[in-house]
Amino acid sequence: MTDRAPDGSAEPDCASRGKDASDAGGASSGVIRHHQPLQDEIVAFQRTIGFALDDFQIQAARSILAGRGVLVAAPTGAGKTLVADFAVYLTMQSPADEAIFYTTPIKALSNQKYHELQQRYGAENVGLLTGDNNVNAHAPIVVMTTEVLRNMIYERSRDLDRLAWVVMDEVHYLADRIRGPVWEEVIIQLPRHVRIVSLSATVSNAEEFGAWLQEVRGHTDVIVSEFRPVPLEQHVLVRGELEDLFQHDRPGRLNQRLHRLSGLSGPRSKRDRHSGHHRRRVDRAALVRTLERADLLPVIDFIFSRVGCDQAVRQCMVEGLSLTTKVERDEIRRVIARHCGDIPAADRAALGFKSWQGALLRGVGAHHAGMLPAFKETVEELFQRRLVRVVFATETLALGINMPARTVVIESLEKFNGVARVPITAGEYTQLTGRAGRRGIDDQGHSVVIWEPGLDLERVASLASRRTYPLRSAFRPTYNMAVNLIGEFGLERTKAILESSFAQFQADRSVVGQARRLKEERASLDGYARAAGMDDPLLRDFFALRRELVDTDREIQRLGRHDRRSGRREELIARARDLKEQLREHPTARLPGIEDHARWAERWHRLKRRCDRLQADIERQVGSIAATFERVVRVLVHFGYLTADADLTDVRVTDQAGLLDQIYGERDLLVAECLRRDVWRNLDADELAAVVTALVYEPRRDRGGEEAWLPQGDLQRAYAATVDVWREIDDQEARHDLTRFPEPNALVSIAVLRWSRGATLEHVLEEAELTAGDFVRLMKMVIDLLDQIGGAAPEGVGATARRARDLLARGIVDRSSVG
């Protein structure tokens, strides 16, 4: 518990905090001394929020007051965002004209934080920049996605001049393969005077990440807390009964009663793991009723499938599940009307509005990326207000959205990753169960794993016991990054920036142990050489002949009798005879102890090979980012965006770089080349929208073999020319061993063409075979790329791109997700 001092400040009870109070500092500048009075700013901030801060929050606040950056790593629900809120509060109290940017990895989080800050500081003081929305961009507080901030840095926005703080919420997202590199670009390139508040899930290498932040940003304190404000109880649902995962009298010890109830404790057979139809069907209505009797609602049931989430809702409706009163249903209708009242009646049937609303009125909903944004926002508000008590969700819900529940259900410990079914990681399990337990409402949170035949209970216990996972950088140089950095800073500074990445920092650290081992083994190598007498040229020659004979004999055995026609085996046999003859006649062959020397020489040879492999591995890791960057530069030189001498010591941007430096994303070079070559010059706006769709659309696995159809004429010719440009780029990327991207896919381009010409939503969704949420997200991506094209090429195609954007931004696509 935390008592109040007469002045409203916190007087933390050290005993109640236990290990957290003493260890929360991690790699920070020091542990809180509880007898130290709180600074006035912290006391005043506590009054605005109405409760006392926890120890780790106070420690972070003190670091912020001292003008230091902070990295706060703590469990989901522990209150990390209050640290960021304190930085916002300080900025608003500052007499100087300062600004704070609050960055998040996804637009949903940005929208949510935007509304929270508006309520606290007023609409006039808060802005929002997400690509979809540009609201009050010059406000003292601006919420944005990380990509927007990266673009501002490259565009040298004047708003950076007054920027004092940047909050990086969910900073562990930099491990994401696609979008993670943007986080590192921002951290490295932000002006030096800007201080960063980084908020992370509990990662096992927070100190390593903090050491990198200290290196690239200067003074940074690392504050690690394992304290979970709402304790978590772990359960397994076995044959309709809830059983504790661990024994109460022996924490961390698996409940042996589970083995007796399940009757099967070993891992599943290979057949069970790979045959989905062998898995037990979950009765969701019975599950909800069991949780309701145990007073464990509201619940989020994680199902790693959009279709599965929707099916679960339908299952509950068929079973007649109803969890709401008449008063609650009336309020649910009002919330739905506020979020969705302006959706045209003609579109509602295509969106499944009636069945969606019907489920919500009975207290049940789904939440996944295939849903319309307005539908997801409605579900979020209803769940936060406890009007909806059951949500079936995919794992995307676990990423920071404020939807805590009393209970979290995980139906399977495996998920499909796009290629195969794989086990969820300890980090994913922690992220999912982090939703369980509402601070200030629940004394405990609860997680429930559904038992199925072959469930490995020991693995469940292991996942439940491990609270951390390592943060690994996904940073890699891109074409856009290369021209922007070289154009702005020149080659040497660009290399220094790339070498400052967390990826390179981790690579350098990882080779420390390898370098130590290499040093030790090289010392052994010297000892072996002395024992073998390798300082004698005649002995070295003798050992070399013996080594060649061994290798030749192995090659003969490998070829066996299957290479007679080429004559290679016969050549090797003849060479072996010759080597044996040379060894018999060698001057050292009859020296006393020659065999002992030879054995030492063989040991030297094996160790030398091991040292060479270790050295190559070290060099590859140490120079990994630089080597990738060099390959990127060579591709850009080939296409004329850079000029360079043969050894890449003098690299400069060309006039063509002005196109590429404004195009962001995985297809940056392809888009720039199509603009440079005027591939799209004859297209009308609707046709350009269709071609650009082919650049951002990624087909589902089950549509991989389908053929795209486009009408003959300019559109078909432009698409074919775009694919030709892609082939040229793909050839160069293959030649330089760079990440390659699949051929543009026009499978849904005809549907987008029809949407831009005024087709109904129902017709377009049927034509594209997309959910409403997927269609809206695809259109947002196309619109974003059209905006980039409009900025990169102001005339001609750029003007067409702006018209195309207006054609797409209608109906549900144009609905603001801010409102």
Side-chain angles (χ1 to χ4, degrees):
M1 298 292 294
T2 302
D3 298 322
R4 300 274 182 179
D7 65 354
S9 63
E11 295 291 344
D13 176 359
C14 298
S16 71
R17 293 305 184 205
K19 179 179 184 295
D20 184 65
S22 60
D23 289 354
S28 67
S29 56
V31 181
I32 299 172
R33 305 302 176 200
H34 298 302
H35 62 272
Q36 293 177 352
L38 295 182
Q39 290 97 322
D40 292 343
E41 294 88 345
I42 298 177
V43 173
F45 175 67
Q46 287 183 146
R47 289 195 180 110
T48 68
I49 60 176
F51 54 86
L53 297 175
D54 289 330
D55 289 355
F56 82 92
Q57 295 163 335
I58 292 172
Q59 187 176 3
R62 285 176 164 156
S63 294
I64 290 170
L65 275 173
R68 302 172 66 87
V70 292
L71 166 63
V72 180
T76 301
K80 294 186 293 290
T81 56
L82 280 174
V83 176
D85 291 341
F86 180 69
V88 173
Y89 170 81
L90 279 188
T91 303
M92 292 302 294
Q93 303 306 309
S94 172
D97 181 24
E98 292 184 342
I100 183 169
F101 290 171
Y102 197 113
T103 72
T104 73
I106 57 176
K107 293 173 183 177
L109 283 176
S110 293
N111 294 332
Q112 189 177 80
K113 198 64 189 181
Y114 170 70
H115 287 302
E116 289 177 12
L117 292 170
Q118 265 194 328
Q119 291 171 6
R120 189 173 303 166
Y121 295 106
E124 70 280 4
N125 289 316
V126 186
L128 177 68
L129 298 173
T130 64
D132 297 343
N133 301 288
N134 186 331
V135 180
N136 203 13
H138 306 296
I141 309 167
V142 185
V143 183
M144 63 184 66
T145 55
T146 321
E147 283 84 355
V148 170
L149 179 52
R150 188 270 310 271
N151 297 351
M152 291 175 70
I153 292 171
Y154 278 152
E155 293 161 5
R156 296 178 287 282
S157 169
R158 295 185 64 180
D159 286 324
L160 298 177
D161 295 340
R162 62 190 185 96
L163 183 61
W165 290 94
V166 166
V167 175
M168 305 201 81
D169 201 355
E170 307 280 346
V171 73
H172 52 274
Y173 207 80
L174 66 78
D176 182 74
R177 182 181 63 84
I178 302 299
R179 298 174 60 202
V182 173
W183 294 75
E184 292 190 45
E185 286 187 75
V186 168
I187 291 170
I188 294 168
Q189 296 185 68
L190 271 172
R192 193 69 176 177
H193 70 272
V194 177
R195 290 150 292 173
I196 298 179
V197 176
S198 302
L199 309 179
S200 172
T202 310
V203 294
S204 54
N205 59 335
E207 285 79 10
E208 179 187 44
F209 184 51
W212 174 69
L213 288 171
Q214 173 81 19
E215 187 169 293
V216 297
R217 299 300 314 170
H219 301 301
T220 302
D221 291 339
V222 180
I223 298 160
V224 179
S225 174
E226 298 290 345
F227 175 67
R228 198 183 195 279
V230 182
L232 183 66
E233 281 285 317
Q234 312 265 358
H235 311 277
V236 179
L237 184 72
V238 187
R239 307 182 193 281
E241 298 294 328
L242 277 175
E243 292 292 332
D244 293 334
L245 178 61
F246 299 112
Q247 294 180 201
H248 277 291
D249 57 342
R250 299 182 70 179
R253 178 74 178 268
L254 188 65
N255 182 0
Q256 295 304 303
R257 177 177 158 80
L258 284 173
H259 287 304
R260 296 193 295 274
L261 285 173
S262 66
L264 182 63
S265 60
R268 273 188 288 166
S269 68
K270 187 173 182 181
R271 182 187 182 199
D272 285 338
R273 283 198 304 271
H274 297 289
S275 301
H277 60 275
H278 288 286
R279 297 186 58 215
R280 177 171 296 182
R281 182 176 180 269
V282 179
D283 185 338
R284 273 75 178 227
L287 166 65
V288 172
R289 290 183 177 120
T290 297
L291 296 175
E292 185 181 26
R293 286 194 299 272
D295 193 25
L296 295 182
L297 298 183
V299 60
I300 299 173
D301 186 337
F302 284 108
I303 303 172
F304 302 126
S305 157
R306 300 178 187 180
V307 173
C309 292
D310 294 335
Q311 288 175 342
V313 172
R314 286 195 293 271
Q315 188 183 0
C316 290
M317 295 304 97
V318 169
E319 293 294 323
L321 188 69
S322 183
L323 304 167
T324 55
T325 65
K326 182 181 183 304
V327 172
E328 289 171 333
R329 288 193 290 274
D330 290 341
E331 182 60 22
I332 289 170
R333 285 190 182 92
R334 284 191 284 272
V335 174
I336 291 172
R338 188 170 70 253
H339 282 280
C340 306
D342 60 349
I343 296 177
D347 291 343
R348 294 195 173 198
L351 296 171
F353 181 86
K354 186 175 181 180
S355 59
W356 170 76
Q357 177 178 250
L360 293 182
L361 289 171
R362 288 158 70 175
V364 180
H367 190 289
H368 57 74
M371 295 170 61
L372 193 68
F375 282 17
K376 287 193 292 184
E377 291 160 12
T378 305
V379 171
E380 289 163 16
E381 179 178 339
L382 291 173
F383 193 77
Q384 289 164 8
R385 295 177 58 183
R386 285 175 266 175
L387 294 168
V388 162
R389 293 180 176 84
V390 179
V391 170
F392 298 99
T394 55
E395 68 268 32
T396 54
L397 180 59
L399 188 67
I401 295 173
N402 183 26
M403 280 182 64
R406 176 167 294 177
T407 304
V408 160
V409 172
I410 302 176
E411 291 200 3
S412 174
L413 298 183
E414 293 180 344
K415 68 174 185 176
F416 185 71
N417 67 357
V419 179
R421 288 189 65 81
V422 297
I424 65 172
T425 65
E428 288 168 333
Y429 185 91
T430 301
Q431 196 84 344
L432 296 172
T433 57
R435 297 286 114 204
R438 299 160 300 175
R439 191 170 191 178
I441 301 174
D442 298 320
D443 294 328
Q444 286 184 323
H446 299 266
S447 72
V448 178
V449 172
I450 305 292
W451 177 85
E452 60 181 351
L455 178 68
D456 187 346
L457 295 172
E458 296 290 348
R459 179 163 180 268
V460 179
S462 174
L463 289 172
S465 301
R466 293 167 61 195
R467 291 274 171 249
T468 61
Y469 57 100
L471 184 61
R472 295 283 175 253
S473 171
F475 184 82
R476 69 186 189 283
T478 66
Y479 300 118
N480 170 276
M481 187 192 303
V483 296
N484 269 297
L485 289 177
I486 292 172
E488 177 69 14
F489 304 117
L491 181 63
E492 290 309 311
R493 174 77 189 283
T494 296
K495 287 182 177 179
I497 289 173
L498 296 176
E499 289 168 359
S500 299
S501 67
F502 187 43
Q504 191 60 64
F505 184 84
Q506 287 190 306
D508 292 344
R509 281 199 159 195
S510 70
V511 302
V512 171
Q514 291 174 304
R516 187 184 305 113
R517 191 165 74 251
L518 180 60
K519 183 178 180 181
E520 292 168 355
E521 294 197 343
R522 280 181 171 159
S524 299
L525 204 61
D526 292 340
Y528 290 176
R530 287 191 298 271
M534 295 181 71
D535 54 342
D536 185 330
L538 281 175
L539 282 176
R540 282 203 306 272
D541 182 59
F542 180 75
F543 300 147
L545 290 172
R546 284 182 63 125
R547 169 46 47 189
E548 186 180 353
L549 178 60
V550 171
D551 291 342
T552 302
D553 284 341
R554 284 178 179 163
E555 183 68 7
I556 291 169
Q557 291 171 12
R558 190 185 68 80
L559 290 173
R561 299 181 179 275
H562 304 294
D563 199 37
R564 287 183 173 180
R565 278 181 290 184
S566 70
R568 173 64 177 159
R569 189 168 182 273
E570 284 69 21
E571 290 176 10
L572 290 170
I573 291 172
R575 177 58 181 161
R577 289 196 201 100
D578 182 50
L579 287 168
K580 290 174 182 175
E581 181 64 26
Q582 289 185 56
L583 285 167
R584 278 195 299 270
E585 299 299 326
H586 199 278
T588 63
R590 294 173 181 80
L591 282 176
I594 187 62
E595 286 302 318
D596 288 337
H597 287 292
R599 279 192 292 272
W600 281 111
E602 182 60 26
R603 292 175 187 172
W604 179 91
H605 178 81
R606 288 196 299 267
L607 186 58
K608 177 69 164 60
R609 279 188 172 176
R610 196 158 68 237
C611 287
D612 288 345
R613 286 195 297 269
L614 194 54
Q615 179 66 44
D617 193 38
I618 290 171
E619 290 175 356
R620 184 171 61 254
Q621 291 184 71
V622 169
S624 57
I625 301 298
T628 303
F629 176 67
E630 181 177 313
R631 295 194 292 270
V632 165
V633 166
R634 291 194 185 280
V635 171
L636 290 173
V637 169
H638 173 83
F639 285 103
Y641 293 88
L642 299 173
T643 61
D645 52 5
D647 58 358
L648 301 186
T649 56
D650 183 21
V651 180
R652 302 174 189 275
V653 297
T654 68
D655 291 341
Q656 291 172 204
L659 281 174
L660 182 54
D661 68 11
Q662 297 187 62
I663 305 296
Y664 308 97
E666 294 183 341
R667 302 282 193 177
D668 49 4
L669 183 55
L670 176 57
V671 173
E673 275 296 278
C674 287
L675 291 175
R676 184 176 70 85
R677 301 183 191 195
D678 257 350
V679 167
W680 303 328
R681 67 182 178 279
N682 294 325
L683 296 179
D684 292 332
D686 54 351
E687 295 171 325
L688 180 60
V691 169
V692 169
T693 298
L695 302 185
V696 299
Y697 171 68
E698 295 182 10
R700 300 191 309 266
R701 211 167 57 99
D702 60 350
R703 302 194 69 183
E706 291 186 44
E707 291 285 333
W709 177 84
L710 291 174
Q712 292 184 347
D714 288 338
L715 176 55
Q716 196 176 87
R717 285 190 290 272
Y719 174 67
T722 301
V723 172
D724 287 341
V725 175
W726 167 81
R727 287 197 182 98
E728 287 186 46
I729 295 172
D730 188 63
D731 286 344
Q732 286 297 312
E733 289 175 335
R735 183 176 302 175
H736 291 91
D737 193 27
L738 288 168
T739 301
R740 298 158 67 189
F741 299 99
E743 179 178 332
N745 191 301
L747 201 58
V748 301
S749 292
I750 190 67
V752 174
L753 183 73
R754 287 174 178 153
W755 174 257
S756 65
R757 291 175 176 176
T760 65
L761 177 65
E762 183 176 14
H763 179 81
V764 169
L765 294 182
E766 182 179 351
E767 175 92 44
E769 295 185 33
L770 292 173
T771 66
D774 286 336
F775 177 69
V776 169
R777 188 168 58 257
L778 176 64
M779 290 301 90
K780 297 288 189 182
M781 293 165 64
V782 174
I783 286 169
D784 181 53
L785 186 48
L786 288 168
D787 282 339
Q788 293 178 37
I789 292 169
E795 306 299 329
V797 175
T800 307
R802 290 189 287 275
R803 291 195 299 274
R805 182 202 189 288
D806 294 339
L807 292 176
L808 297 181
R810 66 178 184 87
I812 63 169
V813 176
D814 190 42
R815 289 192 76 257
S816 171
S817 58
V818 179

